[in-house]
């Protein structure tokens, strides 16, 4: 089905007539000056089967789009870009000045007048189907393969057969690796940011298990049937803050004891207001069997993997990407040095720092005849 900006009722009728997934779309407020009005919508996938063997009768995938699809004479979309968010985030997280303001405006690398930008909410995130909708711990135990397969079906739901670029941050970066070998002919270029193409192990998995244990060991969790968020969620947030923090930046933000404690309280409260304990359990456990390493030779599109030297989730001293990138036929590894501008793991959302590498990747992967 082609992407269209019609009233929901018409889209439901179209889906019913065509026998495809239901598709809904509606305008959303413009995020920042100079960026076209984004559109929000839902694609409903029926009887979605998970790797666990579980089936969800209706899987709702929420998405936001910016720009307009451009089709060739055969009706094939030529300008679609897929951007994939991190754990506990959503697609609209990209619609902020540091990201969209650096990429989507006229003349910028992902100029929304030139590209059709698709921002999905992954399974279990944002406005897509998730445990907190009501199923709680009865929600299917999804993994990254399920999430990527659903993203692929969403892209098809929007009438897109081929992508100019797949770019992801953190969890979205890991999804980008999976996209590369699962659908090797589906894109012209791949850019995973703040990620590693190996099994989640070592300190990374330990931190994730700490978060899971903090929630599940709390009697207030009640095996997922709590009425108010359990106190274990705050303990999990404490671990999350260590994962995403930047020592250099946080020292600048909070150079005294009083400022540090106030800063911590602010950060915890910000997360506490937006996170759900069951959703967080699923989100951080979804990486349990992620491991692209044996499949890296199957990736065909040019790939630039970009990490930051102050990323505590993917520390460069592990040396993993130094070796793994050689398995990617058209791969390149970029390690950003620590500067006053980097933000640890969060550097992935600052294209002002890594944008020049995106420019190189787009140039290197330009389809013939363009």
């Amino acid at each position: 089905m082609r992407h269209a900006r019609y009233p929901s009722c018409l889209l439901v009728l179209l889906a019913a007539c065509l026998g495809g997934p239901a598709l809904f779309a509606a305008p959303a407020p413009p995020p920042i000056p100079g960026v076209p009005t984004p559109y929000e919508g839902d694609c409903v996938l029926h009887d979605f089967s998970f790797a666990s063997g579980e089936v969800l009768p209706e899987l709702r995938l929420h998405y936001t789009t910016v720009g307009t699809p451009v089709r060739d004479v055969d009706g094939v979309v030529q300008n679609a870009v897929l951007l994939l968010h991190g754990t506990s985030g959503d697609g609209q997280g990209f619609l902020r000045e540091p990201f969209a303001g650096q990429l989507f405006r006229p003349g910028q690398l992902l100029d929304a007048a030139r590209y059709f930008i698709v921002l999905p909410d992954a399974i279990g995130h944002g406005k897509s189907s998730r445990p907190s909708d009501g199923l709680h711990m009865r929600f299917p135990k999804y993994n990254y393969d399920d999430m990527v397969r659903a993203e692929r079906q969403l892209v098809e739901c929007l009438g897109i057969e081929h992508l100019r670029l797949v770019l992801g941050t953190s969890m979205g970066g890991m999804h980008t690796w999976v996209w590369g070998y699962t659908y090797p002919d589906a894109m012209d270029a791949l850019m995973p940011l703040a990620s590693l193409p190996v099994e989640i192990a070592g300190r990374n998995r330990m931190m994730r298990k700490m978060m899971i244990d903090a929630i599940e060991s709390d009697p207030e969790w009640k095996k997922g049937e709590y009425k108010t968020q359990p106190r274990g969620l705050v303990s999990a947030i404490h671990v999350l803050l260590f994962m995403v923090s930047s020592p250099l930046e946080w020292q600048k933000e909070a150079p005294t004891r009083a400022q540090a404690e106030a800063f911590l309280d602010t950060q915890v409260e910000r997360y506490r207001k937006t996170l759900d304990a069951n959703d967080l359990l699923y989100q951080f456990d979804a990486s349990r069997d992620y491991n692209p390493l044996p499949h890296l030779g199957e990736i065909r599109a040019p790939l630039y993997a970009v990490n930051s030297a102050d990323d505590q989730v993917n520390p460069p001293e592990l040396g993993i990407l130094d070796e793994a990138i050689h398995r990617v036929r058209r791969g390149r590894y970029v390690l950003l040095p620590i500067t006053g501008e980097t933000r640890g793991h969060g550097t992935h959302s600052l294209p002002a720092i890594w944008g020049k590498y995106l420019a190189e990747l787009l140039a290197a992967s330009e389809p013939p005849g363009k």
Side-chain angles (χ1 to χ4, degrees):
M1 177 184 296
R2 295 186 180 184
H3 178 67
R5 292 161 184 166
Y6 302 121
S8 303
C9 55
L10 179 56
L11 288 166
V12 172
L13 289 173
L14 285 171
C17 292
L18 296 176
L23 181 65
F24 310 85
I32 52 177
V35 175
T37 301
Y39 280 76
E40 289 186 67
D42 292 302
C43 176
V44 179
L45 306 178
H46 297 282
D47 297 322
F48 186 87
S49 297
F50 293 80
S52 64
E54 298 165 284
V55 176
L56 197 63
E58 291 189 348
L59 175 64
R60 182 184 67 257
L61 290 179
H62 190 76
Y63 65 89
T64 304
T65 63
V66 186
T68 303
V70 174
R71 302 177 186 276
D72 63 15
V73 293
D74 297 318
V76 178
V77 176
Q78 300 293 297
N79 65 333
V81 169
L82 183 67
L83 302 184
L84 304 173
H85 64 78
T87 308
S88 80
D90 58 39
Q92 292 205 2
F94 292 114
L95 297 178
R96 295 174 181 151
E97 176 61 37
F99 198 94
Q102 297 293 317
L103 288 181
F104 298 174
R105 286 186 171 127
Q108 294 178 337
L109 289 173
L110 298 181
D111 182 346
R114 180 182 179 190
Y115 291 104
F116 180 51
I117 303 164
V118 181
L119 313 171
D121 291 357
I123 296 175
H125 292 70
K127 298 177 184 177
S128 291
S129 295
R130 53 184 182 168
S132 61
D133 290 340
L135 287 177
H136 303 162
M137 297 303 290
R138 298 182 303 280
F139 194 86
K141 304 299 187 290
Y142 62 83
N143 65 9
Y144 280 6
D145 288 339
D146 295 321
M147 299 167 88
V148 167
R149 186 160 48 86
E151 291 160 2
R152 171 66 168 178
Q153 292 186 36
L154 170 61
V155 166
E156 294 172 343
C157 189
L158 293 172
I160 300 167
E161 298 177 12
H162 190 81
L163 294 158
R164 177 66 184 88
L165 170 73
V166 178
L167 180 150
T169 61
S170 191
M171 178 188 75
M174 291 187 277
H175 286 193
T176 301
W177 291 102
V178 177
W179 263 88
Y181 65 81
T182 306
Y183 307 108
D185 298 316
M187 74 293 292
D188 295 325
L190 297 151
M191 191 168 189
L193 292 134
S195 64
L196 294 173
V198 295
E199 179 180 2
I200 302 296
R203 191 181 67 167
N204 193 338
R205 181 59 192 179
M206 292 177 197
M207 288 190 292
R208 292 165 191 261
K209 191 173 187 301
M210 287 177 195
M211 297 170 69
I212 293 168
D213 289 350
I215 294 171
E216 291 187 339
S217 64
D218 182 355
E220 294 181 4
W221 177 59
K222 300 178 181 178
K223 297 185 178 179
E225 297 303 316
Y226 49 85
K227 301 302 180 183
T228 59
Q229 295 297 328
R231 285 177 291 183
L233 177 61
V234 172
S235 297
I237 290 170
H238 289 158
V239 180
L240 177 60
L241 289 173
F242 276 111
M243 293 180 73
V244 302
S245 64
S246 165
L248 178 60
E249 180 61 22
W250 281 21
Q251 183 66 29
K252 291 191 295 183
E253 290 277 350
T256 70
R257 178 189 59 79
Q259 288 173 311
E261 293 180 0
F263 182 79
L264 173 62
D265 291 342
T266 298
Q267 294 295 315
V268 170
E269 184 63 15
R270 177 172 68 89
Y271 279 108
R272 191 188 64 79
K273 286 181 177 180
T274 59
L275 297 179
D276 172 84
N278 286 339
D279 289 347
L280 199 68
L281 285 175
Y282 274 76
Q283 290 164 0
F284 276 91
D285 191 49
S287 62
R288 60 190 175 275
D289 52 5
Y290 164 81
N291 187 15
L293 190 64
H295 306 286
L296 296 183
E298 301 166 30
I299 297 175
R300 298 174 188 164
L303 180 149
Y304 277 30
V306 179
N307 283 1
S308 178
D310 54 358
D311 182 353
Q312 297 191 79
V313 182
N314 307 293
E317 58 267 28
L318 298 180
I320 291 171
L321 256 176
D322 300 84
E323 187 279 327
I325 197 64
H326 297 297
R327 303 189 184 195
V328 183
R329 280 178 278 181
R330 304 171 70 185
R332 180 183 175 189
Y333 170 36
V334 176
L335 180 63
L336 303 170
I338 300 174
T339 70
E341 304 302 317
T342 54
R343 296 292 184 272
H345 191 62
T347 303
H348 60 55
S349 293
L350 298 175
I353 298 176
W354 45 259
K356 64 179 182 179
Y357 299 107
L358 175 58
E360 290 181 17
L361 175 61
L362 290 173
S365 60
E366 187 72 36
K370 293 294 183 67

